[in-house]
Amino acid sequence: MPFHFRSFCGVLRQPLRNIHLRGFPASHIFRARISGMAPPILSLALPSETGRVLSIQSHTVQGYVGNKSSVFPLQLLGYDVDPINSVQFSNHTGYPTFKGQVLNGKQLWELIEGLEENNLLYYTHLLTGYIGSVSFLNTVLEVVHKLRTVNPKLTYVCDPVMGDEGKLYVPPELVSVYREKVVPVASMLTPNQFEAEKLTASRIESESDGREACNILHAAGPSKVVITSINIDGNLLLIGSHLNEEGESPKQFKIRIPKIPAYFTGTGDLMTALLLGWSNKYPDDLDKAAELAVSSLQALLQRTLNDYKRAGHDPKSSSLEIRLIQSQDDIRNPQVNFTAERYN
């Protein structure tokens, strides 16, 4: 019996109309390109229950930062992830030297156009991390708009990577673009203390200041804000805030985080990926999502520290590459050892 691609498409589409696929419209699930006899894109035709993520971040050949630190954990949590590498370097920039290429805004848009021309531009989530230029960030904003014309319910998770410990490591003009253009279109923000201060033009010197910074950011746009690390009187905290409904007070909480005497690369990228992954599974319980994310990350960091010591290396002497692959069980099924404390 001859194979008819049109008939095959019809057979496959029929039951999909009766299945709830986490916001995937039936009209977009399957568009056969009969002339080229192209097979279906299964991540669109039969999407994962969790979602489909476009991740625009840096990439290194060796080591785990940017997309290398984000894609694998999200896949372990059940997501289809399509990475676009904003840079491709041999290794992270903390090494004595690095080589590689930088993607510009025009090249990013060409990739988006290629996806659009082949009906591949349906995503449930957009994730962005380090961005090094205003032109590229402005193109990312165009990408957000384009993706939301395809899926108005797109969740945009933004890690506004600008600096840390009082020091910017992006051009200063990026700060205003983040504050004025990116924050209003983001669904979730995951700044550190320094970045939250830059975005709110305020100082964070207490827990109350951290909570107020979250309120300022809510008023500007995102319903979920997680300040991933705040140093208050020598104590390290995560402060999270979820504004469920306009006009209501946000649900706010903190998680106490132990200080580890070492510096790790890629942890911010990993943390944001974990927060995306778990907050989508628990959309009304940001506390629980943060508990799972922090517990995964802390288990991974402790394993990394122990492995360096076992190899005879002093962890305080240099930045450490995280043991991502070896920690996959802690990512997939974390034991919750860090619990959220709800503010009244």
Side-chain angles (χ1 to χ4, degrees), residues 152-292:
K153 295 182 179 180
L154 175 91
T155 296
Y156 174 26
V157 177
C158 173
D159 182 4
V161 180
M162 293 183 287
D164 200 6
E165 297 181 348
K167 182 180 179 182
L168 276 175
Y169 39 71
V170 297
E173 54 267 28
L174 256 72
V175 176
S176 60
V177 180
Y178 271 113
R179 185 190 299 138
E180 297 166 12
K181 296 182 179 180
V182 178
V183 170
V185 299
S187 309
M188 178 191 286
L189 280 177
T190 62
N192 59 29
Q193 180 175 358
F194 174 72
E195 292 157 351
E197 289 177 336
K198 287 294 181 183
L199 292 174
T200 60
S202 64
R203 292 285 294 165
I204 299 176
E205 298 176 336
S206 66
E207 292 182 43
S208 177
D209 291 343
R211 297 175 64 189
E212 180 57 26
C214 291
N215 292 335
I216 293 171
L217 292 170
H218 284 316
S223 62
K224 294 178 180 178
V225 177
V226 179
I227 305 178
T228 54
S229 60
I230 298 180
N231 194 328
I232 305 293
D233 297 327
N235 299 309
L236 202 59
L237 302 173
L238 173 151
I239 292 182
S241 186
H242 183 196
L243 184 64
N244 281 311
E245 297 290 340
E246 291 290 339
E248 295 185 359
S249 297
K251 297 176 182 177
Q252 297 185 325
F253 61 91
K254 66 180 177 182
I255 299 177
R256 302 176 192 272
I257 303 172
K259 282 190 172 181
I260 297 177
Y263 176 77
F264 304 88
T265 58
T267 55
D269 307 318
L270 173 58
M271 184 63 180
T272 296
L274 293 171
L275 284 168
L276 185 162
W278 288 115
S279 66
N280 188 54
K281 291 174 182 284
Y282 298 98
D284 299 318
D285 196 346
L286 187 59
D287 312 42
K288 184 177 181 65
E291 289 175 346
L292 290 160

Side-chain angles (χ1 to χ4, degrees), residues 65-334:
V65 298
N67 272 330
K68 284 282 291 289
S69 190
S70 303
V71 173
F72 179 64
L74 284 168
Q75 290 171 330
L76 285 176
L77 293 177
Y79 294 81
D80 284 312
V81 187
D82 291 347
I84 292 179
N85 299 325
S86 57
V87 305
Q88 179 166 269
F89 289 161
S90 54
N91 43 267
H92 69 71
T93 56
Y95 283 86
T97 65
F98 65 93
K99 300 285 179 122
Q101 302 82 37
V102 177
L103 195 73
N104 62 38
K106 181 176 181 293
Q107 291 166 329
L108 169 61
W109 194 249
E110 286 175 352
L111 294 173
I112 298 300
E113 287 179 328
L115 292 169
E116 183 180 28
E117 288 171 5
N118 290 285
N119 299 316
L120 302 175
L121 209 54
Y122 187 94
Y123 291 96
T124 58
H125 296 77
L126 171 66
L127 171 62
T128 62
Y130 174 77
I131 293 169
S133 70
V134 170
S135 62
F136 195 90
L137 186 54
N138 281 327
T139 305
V140 167
L141 287 163
E142 294 180 37
V143 172
V144 175
H145 176 73
K146 174 68 73 174
L147 294 180
R148 283 186 170 152
T149 62
V150 179
N151 176 18
K153 295 182 179 180
L154 175 91
T155 296
Y156 174 26
V157 177
C158 173
D159 182 4
V161 180
M162 293 183 287
D164 200 6
E165 297 181 348
K167 182 180 179 182
L168 276 175
Y169 39 71
V170 297
E173 54 267 28
L174 256 72
V175 176
S176 60
V177 180
Y178 271 113
R179 185 190 299 138
E180 297 166 12
K181 296 182 179 180
V182 178
V183 170
V185 299
S187 309
M188 178 191 286
L189 280 177
T190 62
N192 59 29
Q193 180 175 358
F194 174 72
E195 292 157 351
E197 289 177 336
K198 287 294 181 183
L199 292 174
T200 60
S202 64
R203 292 285 294 165
I204 299 176
E205 298 176 336
S206 66
E207 292 182 43
S208 177
D209 291 343
R211 297 175 64 189
E212 180 57 26
C214 291
N215 292 335
I216 293 171
L217 292 170
H218 284 316
S223 62
K224 294 178 180 178
V225 177
V226 179
I227 305 178
T228 54
S229 60
I230 298 180
N231 194 328
I232 305 293
D233 297 327
N235 299 309
L236 202 59
L237 302 173
L238 173 151
I239 292 182
S241 186
H242 183 196
L243 184 64
N244 281 311
E245 297 290 340
E246 291 290 339
E248 295 185 359
S249 297
K251 297 176 182 177
Q252 297 185 325
F253 61 91
K254 66 180 177 182
I255 299 177
R256 302 176 192 272
I257 303 172
K259 282 190 172 181
I260 297 177
Y263 176 77
F264 304 88
T265 58
T267 55
D269 307 318
L270 173 58
M271 184 63 180
T272 296
L274 293 171
L275 284 168
L276 185 162
W278 288 115
S279 66
N280 188 54
K281 291 174 182 284
Y282 298 98
D284 299 318
D285 196 346
L286 187 59
D287 312 42
K288 184 177 181 65
E291 289 175 346
L292 290 160
V294 169
S295 296
S296 282
L297 180 60
Q298 290 300 313
L300 176 147
L301 295 182
Q302 196 59 57
R303 174 175 288 101
T304 301
L305 191 69
N306 293 341
D307 284 357
Y308 272 101
K309 289 179 178 178
R310 194 156 55 93
H313 180 76
D314 179 4
K316 296 180 183 180
S317 65
S318 64
S319 62
L320 309 180
E321 300 273 15
I322 57 176
R323 299 285 276 174
L324 189 68
I325 305 304
Q326 294 76 11
S327 302
Q328 57 186 285
D329 290 340
D330 294 311
I331 294 168
R332 190 186 289 112
N333 297 300

